[in-house]
Amino acid sequence: MKALAALRSATGTGPRFALLMVLVVASSIPTLDTLLQDAPALLGLRDGREALHGPSGCLYAAGFDPGSSDLANLLTALSRPGTLHKCIGDHTLVPYRGALATLVLLALAAGLYWWLPAARERWRRMVPLETVDADGTLRAELTALCDRAGIRARLRFRVDPARTTSGASVYGRSGSYTVSLHSGLLPRLGTDPEGFRAVVLHELAHVHHRDVDYAYASTALWRAYVLLALIPTFAVTGWILVLALSGTKSPWWPGAAAMLVAPVLVGLLLAGLVHLARADLLRRRELFADRRAVAWGADAAGWQRPDPAGSVAPWLRRLTALLGTHPRWEERRRALADADRLDRVSPLAMFLTGISAALLHQSLMTLPVLSDGPGTFWITVGVVTPVLCFALGLPLVRASGTADRDGRSATVAGLWLGFGLLLGEFVSSGQYRIDWMLPRPQYLLAFLLIAAVPAVWWSQSLRLALALPRRGQRWTATGCCALVTATVLWAGLRWWQMGGETLSFGAVDRSAGLAAYYARTIPGDWHSYGPDLSAFTTGLIVLTPLSGEILVGAAALLMWLVPLALALLQRTGVTGNGLRLRRTLVAGLGGALLCGAGLVVTQLVMNQSRPATPKGPTGPFVLIHMWWVIVTVLAACLLTATVVAARARRHWLLRALLAAQVVQLLAYAEVFLLYSADGCLGPLNTASDVCRWRPRNGLIIDGPVISLTLVNAVLGSACAALVGAGLAWAVRRIRGRPTADNAADSASSGAVRPPSMLLKAGTLLALAVPAVVLATVTFTQATAPDDSRLWQDAADAARKQRGPAPPAQAPETRAWQAASWLNDGGTRHAQQINAASIALDSELFKSASGKRNADGTVALDEKAFHSLCGALGQRVEEARDYFPVPDPSLQKNWSDALNQVRHGTQDCQEATAPPKDAPHRTDAERERLFTTSLNEIVSGMRTFGTTVQNIKKAATSPTK
């Protein structure tokens, strides 16, 4: 009961304060590390070319050009993704400079936090209470108020003689607080005792809520960050812009101006965010303190004060109110009059939380220890989820789960959270973009769904959890729902990193690359499937990022399984107005019938392009056919979820997920039956015309369908449900009857017979058992797809379509690219090839200086030559896997030389130790082949040496 009482009295501001402080600390590490790295170069203390030896040098070696476009640089990086990842990993070090500087910043913030209360007392020249309370009346009154409020913390009272207003304030640090009474407040104890008590109880409410610690800690940390990080960043960026605008030549200006200006935009956004968030939190803590003071017996008449009049326009007054740390008296009176006002979700709070999450994620991504893997998302979700859960959960807890029946406030909160993520991602990602605008910014709208889905699911599932009969069940269900909410939010952010960013950069037209990839793995004519491959490309980018994530699969399973289990545990009659199992199951069956009709149509349409030869269907046709089967299954689930959500009033997201799951499981059965009976269906036959029951074929087709839809159908149905509910709400608003459907549904709810325990238990078993079995089989047999080769083929094909990449426009960029190419592996590969060639030459000299035969020839150690030629060929293969030379003309010479040497080493090995499957050669033929191979190696090495020297000249050429 104590825990429940604590939740009912909590303000929910603590998680938001914690998020702000985590954001400031995380942002300080990369900011300070960049400052310490760039400042010496800008001041002339270090050569700027030293940066070419680190991770940025790997980008230059791969062909990065600040004067190009983001898409061109992305395709360049994708040409050798494995090599680039290894190069960056070899050069990446933990940013100890930024970490140590952040420790200094935290030490300064801790000192400010500890010192500010004492400094305030000295600055204000406060006096002890005893100096103005000769008879002890004031002390007795304050002690009585502390007893009424139940304050147990160490509390002192001081008097501020310089302030003549009738107010008070509280300050201090954890465990030691001070209430400062203004000198104008003291006379009110005799003239207006109720007003005096209201002011003091308000300050004691701050101590009770412990928001003094949050306020002072965040203030100290923010001031330290501004002093040590934000102001120097603005200064350094401003100096860079001054140098650029004054005519200083740089390959980064003006082509990469967006990337240079981005730190200023991020800093301004962070400064505005922190100020707005702190101001909003401080205003809310004042409103909560008002409500607590009235609950302790303060007279509400003490808030009947007029706001200062002024000639400011109303819109400007509302804008300045967002910047103020204290609410207006009118707003405070409204909050006291409306008991539910503070329990409503604030769109501004959710918007600022979304921006904070995006900035926090981008800051964490710059840390090498977190740049690989999903750790950054877990940290981000770990601090954002409590904010979301408290904001949407506390109103339900206080109202016993009866508030917000249609989930509208949760939807609005989720959309504002997503809009904050969208804006934060757009601004913060500008630090890594050359273009001012993303090629396809419309994909950023996915953040609205990424945030709204977990917000609505949490609100609706929590309402079911709070309706459970036992307290232990409620707490267990609430914890499970919170974990699922966090995982779903993590899944959305993870999807954006692995697929959404690629879509937003416009790198989706890879039909030529896919054709090259599948032509090598699956023989057949792919030229007639251009539009299908284009859709297939985009579909793979959308569906594959989360299809192999076990945690996401578990969350997708629990998104519909947890509400169904909660419906089973609820009292009889509650679910009748909740999930509406009968109607939901009927809708799912209707969607399954629609899916079956769609599969039939897909069969008929695809069979028009069915190859006539028996071997044809096993190639491109079957793969494209399987893709459209996947699309049909997904479309049926999404359409069912949309319709169910549009027609439902309460728990519309949960009902949509449950109906879509019915469609999903029945669709798998339909696909299995359709392909197991292949050959017996006449015009619906796919790969065979002989009637026979083939369950193996059904399993073969069902495998990839389940793999790509098991998770995506659930998450996609949740997004479709949001769209359906939004469209239905918009239609009702346009028709001028926004609540007509709700009233009709409410009127008919009494006539709906609640589902029996048998129906609920049967539904749970019928859906849960096959879903769990399919998930277990899918995730235990699935292997992580290695699509690096596919990306490389796609990037190579895109470059072939556009022609060879032009050299960097700026001469300095060309020199930097060549120097980085040499520094990060080019020189090492050249030295290894030269060493292997010298070893081969040494063996030749050793053989030539040996004892000659009677006919003047010498005996060769064929095993030694075979091994040395193999070693040289291996070194050449390693060099071929390295980055292409940034200059196209030098790359051609480099490639020709390596190919010539590689061909010579292959002939050398074949001459010294012929393979078993090679045609028989006489000794004379082998000698000629060996001599030709040596000549080819010598010629190739001569070209190789010249090319390396030309690359070194390009790397050291002066800027023109």
Side-chain angles (χ1 to χ4, degrees):
M1 294 301 293
K2 292 183 178 180
L4 183 60
L7 278 179
R8 291 182 183 275
S9 63
T11 63
T13 56
R16 291 184 59 195
F17 272 117
L19 172 59
L20 280 182
M21 289 188 283
V22 171
L23 170 62
V24 172
V25 174
S27 300
S28 64
I29 298 178
T31 300
L32 293 173
D33 186 70
T34 303
L35 282 174
L36 295 175
Q37 178 181 358
D38 295 344
L42 292 174
L43 297 176
L45 303 179
R46 194 178 64 210
D47 184 9
R49 291 173 64 92
E50 288 187 10
L52 303 182
H53 295 272
S56 59
C58 296
L59 295 176
Y60 279 111
F64 173 79
D65 181 9
S68 181
S69 65
D70 289 323
L71 182 57
N73 285 323
L74 177 63
L75 293 177
T76 300
L78 289 175
S79 64
R80 296 290 189 274
T83 304
L84 180 61
H85 182 78
K86 182 179 182 301
C87 178
I88 293 177
D90 293 340
H91 286 286
T92 299
L93 299 175
V94 176
Y96 63 91
R97 295 166 300 190
L100 292 177
T102 302
L103 291 178
V104 174
L105 185 147
L106 291 176
L108 176 61
L112 289 174
Y113 174 72
W114 189 266
W115 174 74
L116 278 177
R120 178 171 180 172
E121 289 195 11
R122 293 191 183 96
W123 180 262
R124 303 298 306 179
R125 297 181 180 180
M126 297 183 185
V127 297
L129 184 65
E130 289 72 18
T131 60
V132 297
D133 185 26
D135 58 355
T137 305
L138 182 59
R139 170 63 68 180
E141 181 67 26
L142 294 176
T143 302
L145 292 176
C146 289
D147 293 339
R148 182 193 299 185
I151 300 299
R152 299 290 181 264
R154 181 183 174 186
L155 191 63
R156 300 183 304 168
F157 289 92
R158 292 289 187 269
V159 177
D160 189 350
R163 292 194 174 184
T164 59
T165 58
S166 60
S169 61
V170 61
Y171 58 91
R173 53 182 178 268
S174 181
S176 178
Y177 303 104
T178 301
V179 177
S180 171
L181 305 177
H182 299 176
S183 60
L185 177 66
L186 302 183
R188 293 186 65 184
L189 179 58
T191 61
D192 183 15
E194 291 299 328
F196 176 87
R197 296 186 184 103
V199 173
V200 176
L201 287 175
H202 172 89
E203 302 304 327
L204 295 180
H206 285 306
V207 179
H208 175 76
H209 292 154
R210 300 186 65 86
D211 54 28
V212 182
D213 300 321
Y214 298 133
Y216 266 77
S218 61
T219 300
L221 182 60
W222 177 244
R223 290 178 179 177
Y225 180 81
V226 170
L227 179 64
L228 295 184
L230 198 59
I231 293 178
T233 298
F234 287 163
V236 170
T237 307
W239 178 245
I240 292 175
L241 294 177
V242 168
L243 293 177
L245 295 174
S246 63
T248 302
K249 292 184 178 180
S250 172
W252 289 83
W253 186 266
M259 189 177 293
L260 296 177
V261 176
V264 176
L265 298 179
V266 173
L268 292 175
L269 180 63
L270 182 61
L273 161 70
V274 174
H275 181 78
L276 285 174
R278 286 186 65 252
D280 181 62
L281 286 169
L282 294 176
R283 288 195 306 272
R284 287 184 66 82
R285 76 167 190 153
E286 296 294 333
L287 298 177
F288 276 108
D290 290 343
R291 187 167 71 174
R292 175 57 53 186
V294 172
W296 283 338
D299 187 3
W303 280 262
Q304 298 298 326
R305 300 184 184 182
D307 288 307
S311 59
V312 182
W315 67 269
L316 185 58
R317 186 183 300 112
R318 287 191 295 269
L319 179 61
T320 55
L322 296 178
L323 303 177
T325 58
H326 277 70
R328 294 174 297 163
W329 287 106
E330 181 184 359
E331 182 180 359
R332 301 173 79 163
R333 289 191 294 270
R334 286 200 302 264
L336 290 177
D338 187 356
D340 297 331
R341 187 178 185 85
L342 289 179
D343 295 336
R344 297 168 190 157
V345 182
S346 170
L348 177 62
M350 290 293 99
F351 175 66
L352 297 177
T353 300
I355 298 179
S356 302
L359 295 179
L360 174 61
H361 168 65
Q362 290 294 342
S363 298
L364 294 174
M365 281 292 292
T366 61
L367 303 181
V369 293
L370 296 174
S371 59
D372 294 334
T376 57
F377 294 108
W378 280 121
I379 296 176
T380 304
V381 169
V383 294
V384 172
T385 302
V387 179
L388 182 66
C389 291
F390 269 86
L392 298 176
L394 286 178
L396 296 178
V397 172
R398 296 190 179 109
S400 300
T402 60
D404 190 24
R405 291 178 177 271
D406 60 355
R408 185 177 304 171
S409 65
T411 306
V412 174
L415 292 176
W416 277 106
L417 177 66
F419 186 56
L421 287 170
L422 185 156
L423 181 60
E425 172 68 20
F426 176 77
V427 176
S428 59
S429 63
Q431 300 177 94
Y432 318 104
R433 290 201 317 267
I434 293 176
D435 299 330
W436 287 97
M437 183 66 69
L438 288 167
R440 297 187 179 182
Q442 64 270 20
Y443 286 103
L444 287 169
L445 295 175
F447 279 109
L448 301 180
L449 299 176
I450 289 173
V453 166
V456 176
W457 189 90
W458 160 256
S459 178
Q460 296 186 3
S461 60
L462 180 63
R463 193 175 297 108
L464 291 177
L466 294 176
L468 294 178
R470 298 180 180 179
R471 184 178 60 184
Q473 294 176 343
R474 292 195 294 269
W475 280 106
T476 302
T478 300
C480 180
C481 292
L483 291 177
V484 174
T485 302
T487 307
V488 173
L489 181 58
W490 174 85
L493 297 177
R494 181 71 168 167
W495 175 87
W496 174 258
Q497 182 196 38
M498 301 177 66
E501 278 187 325
T502 303
L503 293 170
S504 64
F505 274 106
V508 295
D509 188 13
R510 293 195 183 88
S511 57
L514 282 174
Y517 175 78
Y518 286 115
R520 187 176 64 254
T521 56
I522 302 176
D525 182 16
W526 289 96
H527 297 288
S528 58
Y529 294 101
D532 302 274
L533 279 174
S534 180
F536 188 31
T537 303
T538 306
L540 284 182
I541 296 176
V542 173
L543 299 179
T544 54
L546 301 178
S547 59
E549 295 283 351
I550 298 178
L551 284 177
V552 180
L557 184 66
L558 293 175
M559 284 183 73
W560 61 267
L561 188 56
V562 167
L564 194 56
L566 294 177
L568 178 64
L569 296 174
Q570 282 179 347
R571 304 181 185 92
T572 304
V574 175
T575 312
N577 291 327
L579 295 184
R580 297 285 183 88
L581 282 182
R582 292 188 182 88
R583 295 185 180 183
T584 304
L585 294 177
V586 170
L589 293 176
L593 294 176
L594 178 65
C595 180
L599 291 173
V600 170
V601 174
T602 301
Q603 294 284 84
L604 294 175
V605 173
M606 288 300 299
N607 281 354
Q608 295 179 1
S609 59
R610 177 185 176 186
T613 60
K615 296 182 179 180
T618 61
F621 170 76
V622 169
L623 184 64
I624 296 300
H625 186 80
M626 187 184 305
W627 163 247
W628 289 116
V629 170
I630 294 172
V631 171
T632 303
V633 173
L634 286 174
C637 294
L638 268 60
L639 182 59
T640 302
T642 302
V643 174
V644 171
R647 295 181 59 85
R649 182 176 66 93
R650 296 182 59 193
H651 305 298
W652 46 266
L653 178 60
L654 305 182
R655 292 179 59 184
L657 290 174
L658 185 57
Q661 185 62 29
V662 174
V663 177
Q664 189 175 349
L665 294 177
L666 293 178
Y668 296 155
E670 292 170 349
V671 171
F672 175 78
L673 293 175
L674 190 62
Y675 286 91
S676 297
D678 190 28
C680 305
L681 303 177
L684 301 181
N685 294 334
T686 301
S688 177
D689 293 325
V690 179
C691 183
R692 186 187 307 169
W693 178 251
R694 299 179 177 87
R696 185 171 179 273
N697 289 354
L699 294 176
I700 292 176
I701 300 298
D702 242 348
V705 174
I706 296 174
S707 177
L708 286 178
T709 60
L710 187 64
V711 174
N712 293 293
V714 178
L715 299 179
S717 297
C719 297
L722 282 171
V723 176
L727 291 176
W729 176 84
V731 169
R732 290 194 295 266
R733 295 283 294 183
I734 293 174
R735 294 173 59 185
R737 294 183 298 172
T739 60
D741 293 343
N742 293 353
D745 195 1
S746 179
S748 62
S749 61
V752 177
R753 183 165 53 91
S756 63
M757 183 64 66
L758 180 61
L759 176 61
K760 292 188 289 186
T763 303
L764 180 64
L765 292 176
L767 295 181
V769 172
V772 171
V773 171
L774 287 176
T776 303
V777 173
T778 300
F779 286 106
T780 53
Q781 294 182 352
T783 56
D786 183 13
D787 57 352
S788 59
R789 184 65 182 174
L790 186 149
W791 288 103
Q792 183 172 336
D793 289 343
D796 292 341
R799 280 197 304 275
K800 289 179 180 178
Q801 289 178 346
R802 299 184 180 187
Q809 297 178 359
E812 187 175 358
T813 302
R814 294 198 296 267
W816 286 3
Q817 289 176 343
S820 299
W821 188 90
L822 291 170
N823 294 335
D824 293 302
T827 301
R828 175 171 53 85
H829 287 299
Q831 291 174 348
Q832 290 175 346
I833 291 175
N834 286 327
S837 178
I838 291 174
L840 181 60
D841 292 341
S842 299
E843 184 64 26
L844 281 174
F845 287 127
K846 177 182 177 182
S847 300
S849 60
K851 183 178 180 181
R852 295 182 176 272
N853 298 326
D855 56 357
T857 61
V858 294
L860 299 179
D861 187 351
E862 294 185 353
K863 291 184 179 181
F865 277 101
H866 185 272
S867 176
L868 291 171
C869 288
L872 178 58
Q874 178 64 30
R875 296 303 184 187
V876 170
E877 284 295 329
E878 294 173 357
R880 293 174 64 186
D881 291 336
Y882 183 56
F883 298 121
V885 182
D887 191 306
S889 60
L890 295 178
Q891 166 60 24
K892 184 178 183 305
N893 296 336
W894 170 267
S895 179
D896 292 343
L898 293 180
N899 291 335
Q900 189 174 10
V901 174
R902 178 57 181 159
H903 188 266
T905 57
Q906 291 175 343
D907 289 345
C908 172
Q909 288 187 295
E910 187 175 346
T912 52
K916 295 181 180 180
D917 56 348
H920 176 72
R921 285 191 174 93
T922 62
D923 291 342
E925 291 175 340
R926 291 176 57 195
E927 289 178 4
R928 286 194 297 271
L929 181 61
F930 180 72
T931 302
T932 301
S933 67
L934 293 181
N935 292 332
E936 192 171 11
I937 291 174
V938 170
S939 176
M941 287 302 302
R942 189 179 298 111
T943 305
F944 177 80
T946 303
T947 302
V948 173
Q949 292 301 320
N950 291 335
I951 297 175
K952 291 181 178 180
K953 290 180 181 179
T956 57
S957 61
T959 303
K960 297 181 181 179

